[in-house]
Amino acid sequence: MYPNAPQISNDPSSPFLIKKDDDLDLKVIIFKYLQYWPWIIGFALIGIIGGYLVNKYSTPIYRVEGTVLIKDETPAFGADLFANGGFGRDYSNIDDEIGILKSYSLAEATVQQMDLNVQYFLEGFVKTTQIYGNTSIFVNLDKTKPMLVGGMFRLEVLNEDSFELSIIEQGFSIFDPKDPFNRRGRELVELSRSVYSFDEPIQIDSFEFSVSRISALPGDQIFFRFLDDPSIAHEMRGQLSVAPLERYSSILTLSMQTPLRKLGEDYLNQLVKTYLQRELNEKNRATENTISFISDQLRGITDSLQYSEGRLQQYRSENKIFNLSEEGSAIFGRLQELETRRSEVDLNLKYYRSLQSYIANNGVGELVAPSMVGVSDPLLNALVQNLSNLQADKQRLMANFSEETPVVKDILTRIESATRALQENVNSAIRNTESLLADLNGQIRTIEREISTLPETERNLIGIQRQFTINENIYIYLLQKKAEAEITLAANLPKNVVLDKAKTVGQVGPKRTQNLLFGLIIGLIIPIGIITVKDYLNTKIEDPKELEKTIKVPLIGMIGRSYSEGTLPVFNNSRSSVTESFRSLRADLSYLSPKRENLSILFTSTVSGEGKTFVSMNMASVFALMGKKTILVGLDLRKPRIAQDFGLTNDKGMSTCLSSDSPWQDVVKPSGYENLDVILSGPIPPNPAELLLQEKFGKIINEIKDAYDVVIFDCPPVGLVSETKELFNYADISFFVFRQGYSMKGHSDVLNNLVEKGGIKKIYGVLNDVHIDKGYGYGYGYGYGYGYGGSSYGYHEERKPVAWWKRAIGKRQS
């Protein structure tokens, strides 16, 4: 028996049952792929070479970084009183600042400050590379007019004065900066001529540009195309990453990955510059509003001051009076003090009413800080600053989010709460100011009654001088406040600070090791995948282990491919591995049948060509070599082959006996080898099935069994003819022959049906023509060498080895 042969059940009612091993044999799977190792290694090398070429010719990608320190604003006095009320401001604004830096509006403002509307390219041996900065030409265009974007132009320098221009890539569209979201496609673009002069205007419809020569030489070729600011802004915004340097850190790292290091550095630096300028503009807005408010007041008071000054000079000149009496000076001093106080209160009242109008009209960006106009109420200052900050936050967030997002809804709720609180405070301040103003007016009226007791000339002088002094004090006060506001405006700086300007920190692509590894993996996956698919789609029986699991009877033996001349290797080459496989099968028969003296064996298959005749002939030969009186009976009456293999004439045989009264002894022919006789099938009859089903056939077979020690039946394929099923009854042991690389996998169902539905007993499987090594070769127990294969011990004939490249494409030994 074979070392790993299936264990046959001892239950006589189920003689064909075997014990199956369903465990996955890892060694077999590995061997299945390793037999194609040249292909696997070849594809792996191709994959590695592919990864190397990707590394060599891919455009390098660089990482550019810069850092910004975000400083939290210090809340105004009293601002913390409103935080718990729901309308205060959260001063931890890192997320807001990240949103601003990544906003489209900031990206667009940055791009508008840079000259990025023309992209330049140079054509290399393998690829076309974009260049930035150090270009040999410069394309001039007016961004305020419609632009022709999307396509590609080629410029070839002819000489120092002219160049040839052509279109090499279509896909143009018209971009109008006045209507940026409405692009009009323009596929057919033609140039009026091909040769132009440097600095000459080139007109394409309403789009106009010119080309200036910087350092281009004759023969140079430069490619360029036009892009609009929104497209560039979207692209640059998508490449930008903003994140805190560390968790809870106020330092933000701005980075982007780009093939153009200089472009990345310039963009990040300009982005931060635009960001800080925007912050400064927002910070200056309140101061500018204060200056505007004071200027409006000054324009009104200047005319009154000039008029009152003129009247005072005229009155003094006409009445020859320049100074007041001691009593008049005392009264005028008290009146002047009250008038100055009333002017300040009146200015505060105007400011409160402007705030009230702002709140009523839902104004944005027009708040004036109370402290800038002399209002010293700390609570009001805190409320105004809170509302101003919240309005600024709203503008920032609305640039990136819609009103439906939670963060915008939250800021709108805070603005509404802060506005209500400010409105209540302003209404209260107006009432208090009006009351104070009424009190001052009462005091002034009392002093005016005292003035009425003075002489008329002095009384009139006091009136004129009073008006002049009031206007003068207000004018000086407003000038002082305006100067303070202008000093504040000039001294304003962004609260955030640039820590590190943008610089290239390293190359991030191509990832050389990863590309090589990826190429190796792809190189391994392709051949392994092809082998797997090829194996999966293969409908032929190649794997003995798979066949053993498929059939419901034991796989008793495997017959290797015969490399000897002729079809009788047992006689022609007794030292071959094929001969040894037949000897081994003969030895196993002693375990399969209790009969030791007389034995009848039947061989069949599913279809013709699977080698049942070859197996039956050589099986008869090994019994003859053993000294057993053996006869080979050819029962394939439709397609006989035994005669030509033994060099006999098929003039008479079994069909002769069955169709006439000739005894079977008359059709027995010597094979030419000792102890082996042959009964050929004979001339092909018109009714082979009916002949084999006669009672006479059974008598002949019984007589043959009595006359010979071993009877071998070579039967027709059971999958093609019907009479074979009846012949199983005449054999002690039956063998179903499969052929490696030839029999279909579905042929195992034919054998299984014979066992399950046909009730055939004592039938076993044999795999013939084993030549495809599936990992079951020498030493595993199923190989046709059985430990004697190749040149292991010199028991079998030497076979010429096959070159590795032939084995790789499927050729084996010869």
Side-chain angles (χ1 to χ4, degrees):
M1 295 291 286
Y2 314 113
N4 291 332
Q7 301 299 314
I8 303 171
S9 173
N10 294 324
D11 184 1
S13 62
S14 293
F16 50 82
L17 292 180
I18 63 172
K19 185 186 295 183
K20 303 275 185 176
D21 182 12
D22 293 331
D23 294 337
L24 186 65
D25 196 327
L26 183 60
K27 184 180 76 172
V28 175
I29 295 176
I30 294 175
F31 190 87
K32 178 176 68 175
Y33 294 104
L34 286 182
Q35 62 181 327
Y36 297 98
W37 67 267
W39 289 107
I40 295 176
I41 292 178
F43 273 93
L45 290 175
I46 292 175
I48 293 175
I49 294 173
Y52 169 78
L53 294 177
V54 169
N55 289 336
K56 183 175 181 180
Y57 293 107
S58 293
T59 302
I61 305 297
Y62 302 94
R63 180 179 177 85
V64 181
E65 283 187 1
T67 54
V68 178
L69 174 62
I70 305 298
K71 294 183 179 179
D72 289 341
E73 290 182 346
T74 303
F77 176 75
D80 54 344
L81 299 176
F82 311 105
N84 295 330
F87 51 85
R89 184 167 184 260
D90 182 4
Y91 289 94
S92 180
N93 58 350
I94 294 297
D95 292 338
D96 290 348
E97 300 304 319
I98 291 176
I100 295 171
L101 286 166
K102 296 182 68 174
S103 66
Y104 168 78
S105 59
L106 187 64
E108 186 176 31
T110 302
V111 169
Q112 289 173 352
Q113 300 297 321
M114 304 176 68
D115 188 17
L116 302 178
N117 296 93
V118 183
Q119 290 184 337
Y120 302 89
F121 301 86
L122 289 179
E123 188 176 30
F125 178 72
V126 176
K127 61 182 179 179
T128 300
T129 305
Q130 183 181 354
I131 57 176
Y132 171 80
N134 188 21
T135 57
S136 59
I137 63 169
F138 182 77
V139 180
N140 306 277
L141 74 157
D142 186 355
K143 295 196 297 184
T144 62
K145 297 180 180 179
M147 299 170 54
L148 195 63
V149 298
M152 183 77 76
F153 293 90
R154 183 179 69 88
L155 183 150
E156 183 176 357
V157 181
L158 300 179
N159 50 54
E160 294 182 355
D161 299 321
S162 62
F163 60 89
E164 181 180 5
L165 187 66
S166 60
I167 298 173
I168 63 169
E169 183 180 317
Q170 291 288 345
F172 290 96
S173 60
I174 303 296
F175 170 78
D176 189 350
K178 298 179 181 178
D179 188 10
F181 299 104
N182 184 18
R183 295 173 182 266
R184 304 188 304 274
R186 179 71 186 273
E187 293 294 335
L188 300 176
V189 177
E190 295 183 0
L191 300 174
S192 58
R193 62 182 192 273
S194 60
V195 178
Y196 296 88
S197 299
F198 286 109
D199 299 317
E200 174 191 355
I202 302 173
Q203 187 80 26
I204 304 177
D205 291 343
S206 59
F207 177 51
E208 182 179 306
F209 66 95
S210 63
V211 180
S212 299
R213 176 179 172 271
I214 299 177
S215 60
L217 300 176
D220 288 351
Q221 290 187 3
I222 301 97
F223 301 84
F224 64 91
R225 65 181 176 187
F226 300 101
L227 292 178
D228 55 275
D229 286 342
S231 298
I232 303 172
H234 277 295
E235 180 181 357
M236 302 305 285
R237 178 173 177 253
Q239 296 178 7
L240 178 67
S241 296
V242 184
L245 182 63
E246 295 180 357
R247 191 176 183 183
Y248 306 121
S249 173
S250 296
I251 300 176
L252 295 181
T253 299
L254 286 71
S255 64
M256 61 188 309
Q257 296 182 4
T258 173
L260 302 171
R261 291 181 290 180
K262 186 66 168 56
L263 174 59
E265 293 172 357
D266 289 350
Y267 177 78
L268 285 186
N269 288 329
Q270 183 62 46
L271 178 73
V272 174
K273 183 178 179 180
T274 305
Y275 165 72
L276 295 179
Q277 185 60 47
R278 178 174 179 171
E279 177 197 340
L280 182 60
N281 292 340
E282 291 180 358
K283 192 173 183 179
N284 288 338
R285 187 175 63 243
T287 306
E288 290 171 350
N289 291 337
T290 302
I291 295 174
S292 177
F293 176 81
I294 295 174
S295 297
D296 290 340
Q297 302 300 318
L298 280 171
R299 280 192 293 271
I301 202 66
T302 300
D303 293 339
S304 298
L305 179 61
Q306 292 175 350
Y307 175 74
S308 60
E309 183 181 13
R311 280 190 62 196
L312 178 61
Q313 291 177 355
Q314 182 181 3
Y315 185 81
R316 283 176 172 176
S317 175
E318 291 177 352
N319 295 280
K320 306 300 181 177
I321 183 172
F322 298 98
N323 294 317
L324 296 172
S325 64
E326 183 178 350
E327 182 182 2
S329 296
I331 294 172
F332 181 75
R334 296 201 310 272
L335 182 61
Q336 184 179 11
E337 182 180 350
L338 289 173
E339 290 284 2
T340 301
R341 177 62 178 152
R342 186 175 68 172
S343 299
E344 294 176 359
V345 173
D346 188 59
L347 183 61
N348 289 347
L349 184 59
K350 289 182 179 179
Y351 171 72
Y352 291 143
R353 285 174 177 167
S354 69
L355 266 182
Q356 191 178 46
S357 176
Y358 166 85
I359 295 172
N361 297 324
N362 294 320
V364 177
E366 301 174 358
L367 283 172
V368 177
S371 59
M372 299 299 292
V373 293
V375 178
S376 58
D377 184 354
L379 183 60
L380 182 63
N381 270 284
L383 285 171
V384 171
Q385 182 173 341
N386 282 332
L387 184 57
S388 179
N389 291 334
L390 290 171
Q391 291 282 14
D393 289 344
K394 175 189 173 184
Q395 288 184 328
R396 292 177 180 180
L397 293 173
M398 291 295 290
N400 302 291
F401 307 102
S402 67
E403 293 186 3
E404 301 300 321
T405 55
V407 64
V408 176
K409 288 183 177 180
D410 178 66
I411 204 71
L412 292 176
T413 303
R414 292 187 177 192
I415 289 175
E416 184 179 354
S417 299
T419 302
R420 284 198 304 266
L422 179 60
Q423 186 176 25
E424 293 174 1
N425 188 276
V426 169
N427 292 338
S428 176
I430 289 176
R431 289 192 298 269
N432 294 335
T433 305
E434 288 176 343
S435 177
L436 178 59
L437 186 61
D439 182 63
L440 290 173
N441 287 331
Q443 296 180 43
I444 290 173
R445 283 192 297 271
T446 301
I447 294 177
E448 286 177 345
R449 285 193 293 269
E450 295 180 14
I451 294 176
S452 64
T453 62
L454 296 174
E456 182 180 0
T457 304
E458 191 172 0
R459 189 170 59 246
N460 292 336
L461 178 61
I462 289 175
I464 297 173
Q465 190 170 354
R466 169 190 174 190
Q467 187 64 40
F468 171 74
T469 303
I470 291 173
N471 291 331
E472 184 182 35
N473 289 338
I474 294 175
Y475 183 78
I476 293 173
Y477 178 78
L478 290 176
L479 283 179
Q480 179 185 355
K481 291 300 179 181
K482 182 179 180 182
E484 292 175 358
E486 289 175 343
I487 292 172
T488 302
L489 180 65
N492 272 345
L493 292 173
K495 64 180 175 61
N496 300 326
V497 180
V498 177
L499 291 183
D500 298 308
K501 287 189 174 182
K503 60 181 180 180
T504 303
V505 296
Q507 182 175 334
V508 296
K511 299 180 178 178
R512 302 184 180 278
T513 303
Q514 181 175 325
N515 289 340
L516 291 175
L517 180 60
F518 185 74
L520 174 62
I521 293 174
I522 293 297
L524 292 175
I525 288 177
I526 291 176
I528 291 176
I530 293 175
I531 294 170
T532 302
V533 171
K534 174 179 174 291
D535 187 69
Y536 177 79
L537 297 178
N538 184 21
T539 59
K540 304 294 182 65
I541 295 175
E542 292 184 354
D543 191 344
K545 191 73 173 179
E546 182 180 355
L547 176 62
E548 182 185 19
K549 292 180 179 180
T550 303
I551 60 177
K552 298 184 179 301
V553 298
L555 180 62
I556 291 302
M558 292 190 290
I559 310 299
R561 170 167 287 187
S562 175
Y563 297 95
S564 304
E565 295 183 0
T567 57
L568 293 171
V570 171
F571 288 126
N572 299 333
N573 193 350
S574 61
R575 296 181 58 228
S576 67
S577 59
V578 177
T579 302
E580 187 61 32
S581 63
F582 282 109
R583 290 194 181 104
S584 181
L585 183 59
R586 180 189 64 189
D588 288 336
L589 290 177
S590 61
Y591 298 95
L592 301 178
S593 176
K595 296 182 179 181
R596 299 302 179 95
E597 296 180 355
N598 298 94
L599 185 65
S600 56
I601 307 172
L602 181 146
F603 290 93
T604 187
S605 63
T606 305
V607 295
S608 178
E610 293 179 299
K612 60 176 182 55
T613 300
F614 171 80
V615 175
S616 60
M617 290 168 51
N618 285 277
M619 198 64 202
S621 301
V622 295
F623 278 107
L625 288 176
M626 189 180 177
K628 295 285 187 178
K629 187 177 180 183
T630 308
I631 187 170
L632 175 62
V633 181
L635 299 180
D636 190 352
L637 305 184
R638 291 179 173 81
K639 193 176 179 181
R641 282 196 53 192
I642 297 178
Q644 63 186 33
D645 292 333
F646 279 99
L648 303 175
T649 302
N650 191 25
D651 54 348
K652 59 181 180 178
M654 184 59 69
S655 62
T656 306
C657 299
L658 295 177
S659 59
S660 65
D661 294 333
S662 300
W664 64 270
Q665 291 84 356
D666 292 346
V667 299
V668 174
K669 293 187 176 183
S671 66
Y673 299 98
E674 188 177 359
N675 297 323
L676 178 59
D677 292 334
V678 179
I679 296 180
L680 303 176
S681 59
I684 299 175
N687 55 344
E690 287 72 13
L691 289 179
L692 294 176
L693 295 178
Q694 298 179 74
E695 293 184 4
K696 182 179 180 181
F697 174 73
K699 295 179 181 180
I700 293 174
I701 294 302
N702 289 332
E703 293 177 1
I704 293 174
K705 288 182 179 181
D706 292 338
Y708 289 88
D709 298 329
V710 178
V711 180
I712 306 295
F713 299 116
D714 176 29
C715 298
V718 69
L720 300 179
V721 299
S722 59
E723 61 268 20
T724 305
K725 296 180 181 179
E726 300 296 331
L727 299 179
F728 287 110
N729 297 324
Y730 299 102
D732 296 325
I733 299 175
S734 300
F735 288 103
F736 200 98
V737 179
F738 299 92
R739 182 177 178 181
Q740 188 184 44
Y742 182 86
S743 301
M744 307 296 291
K745 293 181 179 179
H747 289 178
S748 59
D749 294 335
V750 178
L751 174 58
N752 293 335
N753 288 333
L754 289 175
V755 175
E756 294 177 346
K757 299 179 181 179
I760 306 301
K761 308 294 183 181
K762 289 286 187 177
I763 186 169
Y764 306 98
V766 173
L767 183 59
N768 181 39
D769 194 27
V770 177
H771 61 284
I772 303 174
D773 198 345
K774 303 295 289 186
Y776 297 91
Y778 313 109
Y780 186 79
Y782 288 99
Y784 53 84
Y786 308 104
Y788 307 98
S791 56
S792 301
Y793 299 96
Y795 289 167
H796 306 312
E797 82 281 6
E798 301 289 337
R799 292 201 294 267
K800 182 180 180 181
V802 181
W804 67 267
W805 60 271
K806 291 185 177 180
R807 295 197 303 270
I809 61 175
K811 292 187 178 182
R812 303 300 171 183
Q813 292 175 318
S814 59

